[in-house]
Amino acid sequence: MDWLNDFTPHPTLSSDPLPALMLTHLKSWGIISLIGNDAKSYLQGQVTCDVVQLPQDQSTFGAHCDAKGKVWAAFRLFHHQAGYALFEPKSAIEKQLAELKKYAIFSKVDIIESHDILLGLFGEQAQAMIDSLTTTGGDVRQLNNGGSAVKIDEQRWLLVLDPQAAETLVNQIEALKVEEALWRLYDIQAALPIIEQVEQNEHIPQAINLQALNGISFKKGCYTGQETVARAKYRGINKRAMYIVKGHTDSDIGEETSLERAVGENWRGAGKLMAYYRFNDGETLGLVVLPNNLEAETALRLASQPQATWTIQALPYSLDDDE
């Protein structure tokens, strides 16, 4: 599939406007597919979101937890090809898939990692392009080639296509073909949780703000980890939340993602960046789970580059969970 090599880096400064229409191959993302007569009921008993109430033309955030309420995966769930699809980082799929299949032997459901190609269409002209490719409305639309288009936010759509349909679209569409780093920038700016393999079983759903993203139903029936999730809401036991942070880096961070926070004249460990994006001028944005009682003015720094101070940024949504 040589056409997948058409996606190239798009260097940008923090002050630069982004292109109006971009297309990227989401190679670090994947999909778990559930198909079968019991797919709905089985998934309903496994995840935090309400699968039963999900309309065909909508998607929802959700999480799959272990028995202690720690997150195996945070995903976007939607109807796809007579079943359901969970869109999440590819690195999380191996462990989560094994956990999700544990009790499936007793249900009529096939649970597999999909081989569909995932493309991201984004920019201020993305909505108009999607409207030209589809004949229906809604935030989840079926494409003529059998794929799905899923709205992520006002400027982003996920396209789930078989390889032939994906190749045709990439060759025909009038959009700047970029590597997926810019897609991650949009995720960070929108404060959407990104649980990679290294973050699995580290956080409860509220610590990654899923209640603020309508990814937890407190009205549905039982599911794995529900007791912990309910206690976090009704007894206030959750002491952490996910924040956007901004700072300057002299070079790429790589795997040195540990942040420290100022405590008087000293510095203490605060957490690790779960995702970040570095502009060409060194300005860097990231997502990190921190204590939720920190003052907004708390100074942070990257442990590997302590010369620059980082700051906590305003979230694009409220952390209240009033459901």
Side-chain angles (χ1 to χ4, degrees):
M1 292 188 286
D2 292 340
W3 54 275
L4 289 177
N5 296 322
D6 292 342
F7 301 94
T8 57
H10 182 73
T12 183
L13 303 176
S14 57
S15 58
D16 288 345
L18 292 173
L21 187 62
M22 295 169 281
L23 184 71
T24 189
H25 175 215
L26 298 171
K27 59 186 178 182
S28 68
W29 293 80
I31 277 181
I32 291 178
S33 173
L34 295 93
I35 297 176
N37 292 338
D38 294 337
K40 180 189 294 185
S41 59
Y42 184 76
L43 198 54
Q44 181 79 339
Q46 297 291 319
V47 300
T48 61
C49 54
D50 195 334
V51 182
V52 172
Q53 298 299 322
L54 181 64
Q56 289 279 343
D57 63 349
Q58 300 293 317
S59 70
T60 181
F61 273 104
H64 177 213
C65 304
D66 66 12
K68 297 180 180 180
K70 297 295 182 70
V71 174
W72 283 113
F75 51 78
R76 184 178 293 272
L77 169 69
F78 54 94
H79 293 272
H80 177 61
Q81 293 182 344
Y84 294 92
L86 310 181
F87 172 61
E88 62 191 67
K90 185 179 285 290
S91 69
I93 287 180
E94 181 180 0
K95 288 184 179 179
Q96 193 224 346
L97 188 59
E99 292 297 319
L100 196 57
K101 284 182 172 182
K102 267 189 175 180
Y103 308 106
I105 190 173
F106 304 110
S107 300
K108 295 179 180 178
V109 58
D110 292 321
I111 307 173
I112 62 169
E113 181 177 359
S114 170
H115 296 295
D116 284 330
I117 301 294
L118 306 181
L119 301 176
L121 186 67
F122 59 124
E124 61 184 25
Q125 295 179 7
Q127 182 67 55
M129 179 59 70
I130 289 294
D131 290 340
S132 73
L133 295 173
T134 59
T135 57
T136 59
D139 291 349
V140 177
R141 307 182 186 184
Q142 300 307 305
L143 300 171
N144 293 334
N145 51 31
S148 295
V150 183
K151 187 174 185 177
I152 303 299
D153 53 40
E154 293 304 315
Q155 293 196 11
R156 290 194 297 162
W157 283 78
L158 164 69
L159 302 178
V160 185
L161 304 165
D162 67 43
Q164 183 176 352
E167 181 177 7
T168 299
L169 179 70
V170 169
N171 289 335
Q172 294 180 351
I173 196 168
E174 294 292 334
L176 183 66
K177 300 175 181 63
V178 300
E179 285 192 344
E180 65 179 339
L182 281 175
W183 180 273
R184 178 147 297 198
L185 170 62
Y186 279 70
D187 274 338
I188 293 169
Q189 292 173 329
L192 304 183
I194 302 171
I195 300 296
E196 302 279 1
Q197 186 180 61
V198 69
E199 296 278 349
Q200 288 180 299
N201 298 105
E202 292 291 327
H203 313 290
I204 66 171
Q206 286 96 327
I208 56 173
N209 305 355
L210 275 186
Q211 80 285 355
L213 295 164
N214 300 316
I216 306 173
S217 172
F218 295 98
K219 300 175 182 178
K220 60 177 280 187
C222 296
Y223 58 87
T224 305
Q226 181 191 26
E227 184 177 350
T228 298
V229 177
R231 280 205 310 269
K233 174 179 173 64
Y234 297 114
R235 298 186 184 178
I237 66 170
N238 177 51
K239 304 301 181 184
R240 301 179 72 77
M242 186 181 68
Y243 296 94
I244 303 171
V245 291
K246 181 171 74 172
H248 181 88
T249 52
D250 293 328
S251 58
D252 186 55
I253 298 172
E255 296 182 0
E256 302 298 324
T257 61
S258 295
L259 286 178
E260 299 174 329
R261 61 185 175 98
V263 182
E265 296 182 356
N266 300 312
W267 294 86
R268 295 180 181 173
K272 291 187 176 183
L273 294 174
M274 55 179 21
Y276 70 88
Y277 179 86
R278 184 179 187 274
F279 291 94
N280 271 27
D281 54 12
E283 181 174 301
T284 306
L285 291 175
L287 293 175
V288 62
V289 174
L290 298 170
N292 58 16
N293 61 353
L294 287 184
E295 297 293 334
E297 298 78 21
T298 299
L300 304 167
R301 71 182 187 183
L302 197 63
S304 61
Q305 298 186 37
Q307 65 277 10
T309 299
W310 289 53
T311 55
I312 299 172
Q313 305 297 296
L315 291 168
Y317 49 72
S318 169
L319 288 179
D320 295 334
D321 57 342
D322 296 327
E323 184 180 339

